[in-house]
């Protein structure tokens, strides 16, 4: 997992051939003007899912992991915590679904990070993550999230 400020994103261009395009889009986009749903940036290889929801408690959450995509998660409005653990340290809740590139897992977070403002996280296949958590315990918050998918 990489936690980064927007102004530092281009330090990571060399990690994936599509990162430069993803970071250019992040730095040049007014997220408040985007419609909810999928934004195609480079076909199935690079796209963004724009979502709005209320954050949730740890009791309502679960871990997820992906094998074919890297997630870049950022918030256009609000803040949330994301739990992290290495995928090998968690238990399977549901078998991996290759059609959705989604693996549902359970366990405890080894670390948590709060994203929002100009701070985001980049999650690789080994980075199981528990997104959508209340940034302040017990306080739900409506957020607008952009979850970019970058093909490996």
């Amino acid at each position: 997992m990489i936690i980064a400020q927007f102004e530092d994103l281009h330090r990571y261009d060399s990690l994936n051939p599509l990162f430069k395009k993803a970071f250019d889009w992040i730095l040049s986009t007014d997220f408040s003007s985007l419609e909810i749903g999928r934004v195609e940036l480079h076909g199935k290889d690079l796209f963004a899912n724009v979502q709005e929801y209320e954050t949730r408690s740890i009791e309502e959450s679960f871990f997820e992991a992906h094998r074919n995509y890297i997630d870049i998660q950022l918030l256009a409005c609000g803040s949330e915590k994301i739990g992290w653990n290495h995928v090998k340290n968690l238990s399977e809740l549901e078998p991996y679904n290759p059609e959705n590139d989604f693996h549902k897992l359970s366990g405890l977070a080894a670390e948590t990070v709060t994203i929002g403002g100009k701070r985001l996280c980049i999650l690789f296949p080994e980075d199981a993550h528990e997104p959508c958590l209340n940034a302040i315990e017990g306080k739900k918050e409506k957020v607008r999230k952009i979850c970019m998918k970058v093909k490996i």
Side-chain angles (χ1 to χ4, degrees):
M1 176 170 65
I2 295 171
I3 304 159
Q5 295 293 122
F6 282 20
E7 69 258 21
D8 298 324
L9 287 176
H10 284 296
R11 292 177 188 257
Y12 308 105
D13 284 351
S14 65
L15 295 180
N16 182 287
L18 294 169
F19 273 5
K20 180 175 181 353
K21 185 173 187 132
F23 300 151
D24 286 346
W25 183 79
I26 289 169
L27 295 170
S28 65
T29 300
D30 174 8
F31 299 115
S32 64
S33 68
L34 296 175
E35 291 187 29
I36 303 302
R38 186 169 164 147
V39 178
E40 297 282 340
L41 300 168
H42 193 79
K44 292 182 181 180
D45 292 342
L46 177 64
F47 59 92
N49 292 316
V50 181
Q51 312 160 345
E52 285 185 357
Y53 55 85
E54 274 195 349
T55 57
R56 57 186 177 220
S57 70
I58 195 121
E59 294 79 22
E60 301 169 291
S61 68
F62 56 87
F63 279 88
E64 62 185 67
H66 316 288
R67 296 181 185 171
N68 298 314
Y69 287 91
I70 298 165
D71 274 6
I72 302 173
Q73 297 193 11
L74 59 121
L75 291 169
C77 176
S79 59
E80 76 176 39
K81 275 189 184 173
I82 297 176
W84 173 90
N85 206 328
H86 195 284
V87 70
K88 70 179 180 181
N89 296 330
L90 301 172
S91 302
E92 184 174 80
L93 277 176
E94 294 177 8
Y96 173 70
N97 180 333
E99 284 185 34
N100 297 332
D101 190 36
F102 189 83
H103 199 180
K104 191 173 182 179
L105 305 161
S106 69
L108 298 174
E111 306 288 339
T112 60
V113 62
T114 301
I115 62 169
K118 298 286 184 181
R119 186 176 195 207
L120 58 73
C121 66
I122 303 169
L123 300 149
F124 295 87
E126 65 272 16
D127 297 320
H129 45 287
E130 185 178 30
C132 312
L133 298 173
N134 299 331
I136 300 170
E137 193 168 330
K139 184 179 177 195
K140 292 185 180 283
E141 182 178 357
K142 186 173 181 176
V143 299
R144 183 177 181 88
K145 185 176 196 172
I146 290 77
C147 180
M148 298 186 75
K149 298 290 192 172
V150 183
K151 184 77 171 166
I152 296 175

